[in-house]
């Protein structure tokens, strides 16, 4: 490589010195390393003329720096691939492309049983209830927000219990006085007929349909001797001493005038307005 010409950069005579030709110009080794050498894409130091240089798609490496970005295996004499401009051995490339478990984030190898739900994959053993940590397997489960529950844990945590049987209400149900009931438990205490959607009343913490309340619980009107239910026309009641009347039955025995807002006289079981009472 002896030449009597001078270095393009430092202008020093190249006679007896090592030099290289760069882009058609003669450059001493020192100036080549300083001004012309490619920088290694791994260590960022210049690749000198004494180092073996490897290039790929416009980037350059020292031979010893050309390694897999994941396992650091030397790749100068091996087949390799790239992912997002990163150099990797073929084994690591295949691992990067493999699906990962949404639970443990480890690779799910081909041929391994997995669970797919809402676009995500899990190892079978990683697809578990977030409460009891038991594997879901083939049993039913419920998703709430980002969590997955087995049916038993979901019922314990979120499902209301019926105030009558204390069992979980999984569907439907009736709400009465801010308390939940199964539709099958919300029945008349007398005849056991369902009360949802029908008229009923509460007596001493027991529920009765209209007929059972009339026949079993309600007091009798001292006027017509029919039950005072508090429903419909008989919603207003007059009480005096130990007797009760429908408002519309509280009439003078003599002249039949209605007496709820008037003075009256009670004689035996009969009531009279003051005028008729004075005549009797």
């Amino acid at each position: 490589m002896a030449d009597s010409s001078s270095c393009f950069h430092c202008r020093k005579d190249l006679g007896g010195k090592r030099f290289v030709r760069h882009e058609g110009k003669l450059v001493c080794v020192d100036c080549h390393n300083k001004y012309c050498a490619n920088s290694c894409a791994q260590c960022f130091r210049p690749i000198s003329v004494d180092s073996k240089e490897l290039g790929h798609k416009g980037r350059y490496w020292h031979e010893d720096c050309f390694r897999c970005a994941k396992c650091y295996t030397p790749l100068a004499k091996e087949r390799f691939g790239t992912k997002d401009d990163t150099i990797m051995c073929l084994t690591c490339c295949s691992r990067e492309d493999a699906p990962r478990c949404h639970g443990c984030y480890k690779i799910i190898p081909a041929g391994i049983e997995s669970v797919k739900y809402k676009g995500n994959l899990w190892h079978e053993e990683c697809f578990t209830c977030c409460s009891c940590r038991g594997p879901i397997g083939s049993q039913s489960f419920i998703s709430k927000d980002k969590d997955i529950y087995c049916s038993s844990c979901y019922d314990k945590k979120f499902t209301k219990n019926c105030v009558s049987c204390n069992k979980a209400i999984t569907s439907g149900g009736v709400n009465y006085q801010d308390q939940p009931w199964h539709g099958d438990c919300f029945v008349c205490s007398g005849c056991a007929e369902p009360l949802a959607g029908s008229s009923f009343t509460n007596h001493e913490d027991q529920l009765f349909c209209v007929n059972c309340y009339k026949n079993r619980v309600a007091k009798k009107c001292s006027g017509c001797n029919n039950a005072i239910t508090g429903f419909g026309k008989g919603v207003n009641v007059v009480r005096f001493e130990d007797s009760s009347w429908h408002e519309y039955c509280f009439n003078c025995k003599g002249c039949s005038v209605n007496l709820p807002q008037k003075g009256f006289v009670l004689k035996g079981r009969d009531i009279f307005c003051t005028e008729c009472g004075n005549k009797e």
Side-chain angles (χ1 to χ4, degrees):
M1 298 178 70
D3 198 303
S4 59
S5 300
S6 60
C7 172
F8 175 78
H9 289 284
C10 67
R11 300 303 180 183
K12 292 181 180 179
D13 186 72
L14 295 175
K17 295 182 178 181
R18 295 173 64 213
F19 64 89
V20 295
R21 191 177 295 277
H22 180 75
E23 296 181 353
K25 302 177 180 67
L26 299 179
V27 182
C28 69
V29 172
D30 289 340
C31 288
H32 177 271
N33 292 342
K34 186 175 182 179
Y35 299 113
C36 306
N38 292 315
S39 294
C40 176
Q42 176 62 31
C43 71
F44 306 109
R45 294 193 297 268
I47 304 173
S48 70
V49 294
D50 296 322
S51 300
K52 186 173 181 179
E53 181 180 81
L54 300 177
H56 179 71
K57 292 186 176 181
R59 294 191 296 163
Y60 303 90
W61 290 260
H62 294 104
E63 181 179 21
D64 192 53
C65 291
F66 194 66
R67 296 171 177 267
C68 173
K70 292 291 183 180
C71 67
Y72 305 108
T73 299
L75 297 176
K77 298 180 180 179
E78 304 292 337
R79 295 175 63 193
F80 64 89
T82 60
K83 185 174 179 64
D84 299 328
D85 291 331
T86 301
I87 303 296
M88 287 186 286
C89 66
L90 296 184
T91 300
C92 289
C93 273
S94 63
R95 287 176 179 170
E96 283 294 303
D97 292 333
R100 290 186 176 270
C101 174
H102 194 66
C104 69
Y105 303 106
K106 294 180 181 179
I107 290 171
I108 302 177
I112 298 297
E113 290 292 332
S114 61
V115 178
K116 186 174 184 180
Y117 179 65
K118 288 188 175 181
N120 295 316
L121 289 173
W122 283 263
H123 295 109
E124 267 196 336
E125 63 271 19
C126 293
F127 193 66
T128 60
C129 171
C130 70
S131 182
C132 68
R133 298 301 176 186
I136 299 295
S138 60
Q139 65 179 308
S140 61
F141 63 91
I142 300 168
S143 175
K144 184 173 178 63
D145 299 326
K146 294 182 180 180
D147 296 323
I148 293 171
Y149 295 86
C150 66
S151 297
S152 177
C153 286
Y154 184 88
D155 288 344
K156 290 177 183 177
K157 190 174 181 67
F158 299 106
T159 304
K160 294 180 179 179
N161 289 341
C162 174
V163 297
S164 177
C165 68
N166 202 36
K167 294 181 180 179
I169 301 174
T170 56
S171 63
V174 177
N175 193 56
Y176 174 65
Q177 292 184 343
D178 294 326
Q179 291 182 317
W181 302 64
H182 288 113
D184 293 340
C185 293
F186 194 67
V187 297
C188 173
S189 297
C191 63
E193 286 296 312
L195 295 176
S198 61
S199 296
F200 63 91
T201 190
N202 186 327
H203 179 72
E204 297 180 352
D205 293 329
Q206 289 185 301
L207 303 179
F208 293 92
C209 66
V210 174
N211 286 335
C212 287
Y213 183 76
K214 284 181 178 180
N215 298 328
R216 300 178 181 222
V217 180
K219 291 184 176 182
K220 304 296 183 181
C221 174
S222 296
C224 66
N225 205 36
N226 291 323
I228 300 175
T229 62
F231 300 116
K233 186 180 177 182
V235 68
N236 295 320
V237 180
V238 177
R239 294 183 176 86
F240 181 71
E241 295 181 350
D242 294 330
S243 300
S244 300
W245 291 262
H246 296 108
E247 184 182 68
Y248 56 82
C249 291
F250 196 64
N251 301 323
C252 174
K253 180 71 173 178
C255 64
S256 299
V257 67
N258 196 235
L259 296 175
Q261 304 301 324
K262 299 178 181 180
F264 64 91
V265 177
L266 183 65
K267 294 186 177 182
R269 295 181 56 85
D270 298 326
I271 52 173
F272 297 87
C273 66
T274 54
E275 186 177 344
C276 292
N278 291 331
K279 294 178 180 179
E280 292 293 321

